[in-house]
Amino acid sequence: MDPPPSDDGSTADARAGGYVFVLELATLETAKVGKGYAVLNCDDHANFIRRHGKQPGDYRPDICHQALLSILDSPLNKAGKVRGIYVNTQKNVLFEVSPKTRLPRTFKRFCGLVAQLLQKLSVRSSNGPEKLMRVVKQPVTRYFPAGARRVGFSFSAPEVKRLPEYVRALPEDATVVFTVGAMAHGKVDVAYTDDFISVSKYPLSAACCLGRICNALELKHDIV
């Protein structure tokens, strides 16, 4: 896990390099359905969601699940280049995911883990005391290393960039923060990004976008 924030809110300077990923506007909301609490999703809880005056299509925790797997399964992460992963929900709950986490492969088990996280505020490793997932204080910028480059991604961004060329131009020894939306529709609108770009002239899923980012960084660092 990253070191605790210093007095100015940052965790470290950016000289060590590496990459931080932020998933914004994730639809991870728990509610008491039947006898227990569950993470609401459009397939299993459509009637419950409609009864509360909301649209089932807005409840897509599977997007966050697939996005996290794209990062955690990447050779970039396995090579130790991912410094931190943060998820910001639409309910403004922020949690940190350790790059060492072995996320459940099935969606049902993932939802069970998230429900446990949102109720108990942390999830520990089964093999020791390390917290693999934990709810942390806002804002997410307090966990960015000082001087980090901050890049946001959206199909609606004014400029399409070729990622391999873009990441090659990034400073070798600086930490870079990549922010991607983890919701069904809409766009990420955060004030903390230095650049705001698109990686394709076509709309991409969060998982596909993250796969492109990780692949471009793997090429940059010759990670096979």
Side-chain angles (χ1 to χ4, degrees):
M1 305 292 278
D2 286 340
S6 61
D7 292 339
D8 65 359
S10 64
T11 55
D13 64 29
R15 287 174 296 177
Y19 304 99
V20 175
F21 290 88
V22 182
L23 302 180
E24 285 282 355
L25 298 176
T27 49
L28 301 174
E29 183 179 337
T30 57
K32 191 170 185 180
V33 183
K35 295 181 179 179
Y37 283 86
V39 174
L40 297 176
N41 72 80
C42 60
D43 292 327
D44 299 326
H45 310 114
N47 291 334
F48 178 91
I49 294 167
R50 287 193 191 98
R51 285 200 302 271
H52 288 78
K54 298 177 181 179
Q55 295 297 320
D58 292 338
Y59 289 79
R60 294 286 309 279
D62 58 297
I63 295 174
C64 184
H65 183 215
Q66 293 165 9
L68 285 172
L69 287 175
S70 292
I71 302 167
L72 293 167
D73 285 353
S74 69
L76 184 77
N77 183 46
K78 293 175 181 179
K81 291 291 186 180
V82 177
R83 290 188 61 175
I85 305 167
Y86 297 90
V87 178
N88 205 5
T89 75
Q90 292 190 6
K91 291 290 188 179
N92 207 35
V93 177
L94 177 66
F95 63 89
E96 179 183 22
V97 180
S98 168
K100 299 177 183 178
T101 302
R102 294 182 63 185
L103 206 66
R105 316 308 294 180
T106 65
F107 176 62
K108 184 176 181 179
R109 288 188 61 207
F110 169 73
C111 287
L113 188 70
V114 171
Q116 177 186 341
L117 170 68
L118 294 178
Q119 287 181 301
K120 297 185 178 180
L121 305 183
S122 66
V123 174
R124 294 182 183 274
S125 168
S126 58
N127 300 320
E130 182 180 16
K131 292 182 179 179
L132 297 178
M133 302 172 71
R134 59 172 183 161
V135 174
V136 295
K137 291 181 179 180
Q138 295 276 16
V140 67
T141 51
R142 67 187 279 134
Y143 306 103
F144 297 169
R149 183 90 178 172
R150 306 169 183 192
V151 186
F153 294 84
S154 175
F155 173 64
S156 64
E159 192 173 6
V160 178
K161 295 279 192 180
R162 295 183 183 274
L163 262 182
E165 297 172 8
Y166 181 82
V167 301
R168 272 201 303 269
L170 294 171
E172 287 289 338
D173 58 349
T175 300
V176 185
V177 178
F178 297 107
T179 298
V180 175
M183 64 290 189
H185 49 77
K187 69 176 183 178
V188 174
D189 186 13
V190 291
Y192 59 74
T193 55
D194 301 309
D195 290 344
F196 192 55
I197 65 172
S198 175
V199 297
S200 175
K201 63 180 181 179
Y202 304 104
L204 302 179
S205 67
C208 183
C209 179
L210 288 160
R212 283 194 164 201
I213 296 167
C214 290
N215 184 247
L217 293 169
E218 288 153 8
L219 290 171
K220 174 184 173 77
H221 295 285
D222 197 25
I223 299 170
V224 181

